[in-house]
Each structure stands twice: as C-alpha cells, then as structure tokens.
Amino acid sequence: MDRAVRAQLLLLLVQLPASFHCKDASRGDDGGWGLGSSIEDEGECNIEIRDVNSITHREFIKEYAYAKPVILRGLTDNTKFRFLCSKSNLLREYGGKTVRLSTANTHSYRKVDVQFEEFVKFLLTPQPNDTLGSDTLYFFGDNNFTEWHSLFEEYKAPPFSLPLMHPAYSFGIAGPGTGVPFHWHGPGYSEVIYGRKRWFLHPPDEVPEFHPNHTTLSWVSLSYPNLELHQRPLECTIRPGEVLYFPDRWWHATLNLDTSVFISTFLG
C-alpha cells in the first residue's frame, strides 16, 4: 500500500461523524463485523415485500421483472454462506489475498490494490459526512473470481431468472456510512449477508438530482430532506435474509447503515 493511501487510512480512523452511534454488539449475530458504529435512521419502506409463499416465478415475471423493484423474503437458505462470510472465516481464508478497491462515485475510475486483511483493519471504518466519493475506497465487484470461487460456490442465488439472461456475482464488504451514489445498469438482485443496507431507486425516466462525486451519506444528509414529495425515491432498508430486485436501467443509490457484507447477482 502506498504512502498516500496509508495517510488516508489514518485520517479515516480518527474521524467519526456525529450521525453515528455505538452499536450494541449483542444485537443478533453479526458474524464478528458489528463491533463498530451504525446509523440508526433506516428511513421508510415504500417498496413491496413478497415472501416465498406469496409469489411464484410467473408472478415475478409479470409484476416486477420489467416494471418495478420488489423485496423478496425466504426464497433461498444461505445459512452456510453466511457462516463462511463471518469476519474470522474470511480473514483466515483470504487475509493474504489482494483485493481491488474502487472509488465510490458515479464515475469510478481509480483502483487501489490492497491485502484483504489491510482493508478489513484500516478501511472498514465509518464514513465521514464530508468525504468525497473520489476519496472513498469501496470493495465491491472487482473480486478475483478464481480466488473467491470456493466461496461463491456456496451461495444460493435467487431462483427467479429472466429469459435469455445469465447471473454474475459481485461480492462486497463496506463500513457504515459508505455506499454508491445514483447510477444505473442492467437488472439484478442484492442480498445482505450481515448488516443493513438502505436503497433509493428511481425509474429510468426519473433522473434524480445528485452530484456524481458526493457520497450517498452526504446526499441523505443535505439533499434528501429538501426533496418535494414527487421527487422522493422508492426506498427501503434490507436486512440479512432479504433480497432486493431492481429492473433494468433503474437509477439506484445505496447506503450501508452498519458494517455490511453483501452480494449482488447481476443479470445480463
């Protein structure tokens, strides 16, 4: 790791925004990831929630696949994958491996390679409110499939497929207050393994107002409270065992409320 990145890590370690509160470590199984701080405000939830007993694949295709997001519960059992994603297990298996971090802005270009153990020890910290996206390093989507293949083999993706599309996994771990600002791409699923992740979504024809280099935390703090009712996004906070589906070209931004472990299944 170069000197500039190390200096950035030291700065992050001494900054703790006022919006964070100490998290009760006894609050459920956190896989060893939750001994830090969290954001208490989960926001509202105005996205439909369906469970395994209330929806079929045919209904999913008809009502949601090409039309709107939905939160799905109970479709798969990832108990084993969750166990393998505990902090101690991942450090033991991958601590010495190199992971590639990306800047957390809408137009991400800079990449930084670090050892996974260094990322967990130094970068998995609360996100200061005034940090720019270009200065925030985010672990998601650039994992080496060969090295992480044995982990991905244990993941059970949501069973509802789309015609002529094939799944590709992206695995991530992020500290509280981090996230990716508004962007869009093809359809997919996002499942939280540990922690909580807040989502904001707009349909393709409703372009949200945001600065591409401001973080989601900054947007939530400064812009979100001033939105008119008709400008408000669809939103919800998803927790372990819940899967969010988002259709093609839907704008979306994310905010990790805790130290979060998550995996997305992109369909393309």
Side-chain angles (χ1 to χ4, degrees):
M1 184 185 299
D2 61 39
R3 184 176 299 176
V5 175
R6 287 186 182 279
Q8 180 182 341
L9 300 185
L10 291 175
L11 180 63
L12 287 172
L13 287 172
V14 299
Q15 292 180 306
L16 186 65
S19 59
F20 290 93
H21 303 278
C22 291
K23 183 177 180 181
D24 181 0
S26 64
R27 194 188 303 170
D29 173 24
D30 59 22
W33 295 105
L35 302 179
S37 303
S38 65
I39 300 175
E40 296 302 323
D41 182 15
E42 293 189 348
E44 65 172 311
C45 184
N46 53 16
I47 299 176
E48 290 182 54
I49 300 174
R50 304 289 297 267
D51 63 37
V52 65
N53 296 315
S54 70
I55 187 171
T56 64
H57 190 179
R58 185 173 182 177
E59 290 172 323
F60 169 78
I61 295 294
K62 180 180 178 181
E63 296 183 28
Y64 305 103
Y66 307 103
K68 57 185 177 181
V70 63
I71 295 170
L72 303 168
R73 290 176 176 168
L75 263 67
T76 57
D77 180 3
N78 275 305
T79 302
K80 183 176 181 180
F81 184 77
R82 180 176 166 84
F83 171 77
L84 294 174
C85 289
S86 69
K87 185 175 181 180
S88 59
N89 279 337
L90 288 184
L91 284 174
R92 181 172 58 251
E93 294 294 327
Y94 304 102
K97 303 292 186 182
T98 297
V99 294
R100 175 158 290 180
L101 311 179
S102 303
T103 47
N105 51 3
T106 298
H107 308 294
S108 295
Y109 299 109
R110 187 164 70 98
K111 306 286 185 180
V112 176
D113 290 338
V114 299
Q115 280 195 337
F116 180 66
E117 184 175 12
E118 290 193 55
F119 165 73
V120 171
K121 288 183 176 180
F122 299 113
L123 275 176
L124 216 51
T125 56
Q127 167 83 57
N129 203 329
D130 58 352
T131 303
L132 294 176
S134 57
D135 295 326
T136 304
L137 296 175
Y138 200 68
F139 171 43
F140 177 66
D142 276 300
N143 34 279
N144 184 308
F145 187 82
T146 302
E147 293 181 347
W148 296 79
H149 180 67
S150 60
L151 179 66
F152 292 163
E153 278 189 329
E154 301 299 333
Y155 178 65
K156 296 179 181 178
F160 294 163
S161 59
L162 270 63
L164 304 177
M165 292 194 174
H166 304 282
Y169 298 144
S170 286
F171 181 66
I173 304 172
T178 61
V180 179
F182 282 105
H183 63 287
W184 60 266
H185 44 67
Y189 296 96
S190 178
E191 179 169 358
V192 172
I193 308 303
Y194 290 108
R196 297 167 299 152
K197 182 184 286 286
R198 189 174 173 184
W199 280 74
F200 307 91
L201 303 104
H202 284 279
D205 59 348
E206 293 181 11
V207 182
E209 292 188 13
F210 68 99
H211 190 292
N213 199 30
H214 288 178
T215 63
T216 304
L217 179 61
S218 174
W219 179 83
V220 168
S221 302
L222 302 177
S223 300
Y224 179 88
N226 299 318
L227 294 177
E228 300 289 342
L229 188 61
H230 70 277
Q231 297 174 311
R232 292 289 177 108
L234 289 176
E235 63 174 289
C236 201
T237 294
I238 61 172
R239 302 168 183 79
E242 297 179 330
V243 178
L244 173 75
Y245 170 78
F246 51 89
D248 187 27
R249 292 178 172 267
W250 272 65
W251 290 93
H252 55 279
T254 61
L255 177 64
N256 296 294
L257 303 185
D258 311 301
T259 298
S260 302
V261 180
F262 46 93
I263 185 168
S264 290
T265 305
F266 294 113
L267 303 173

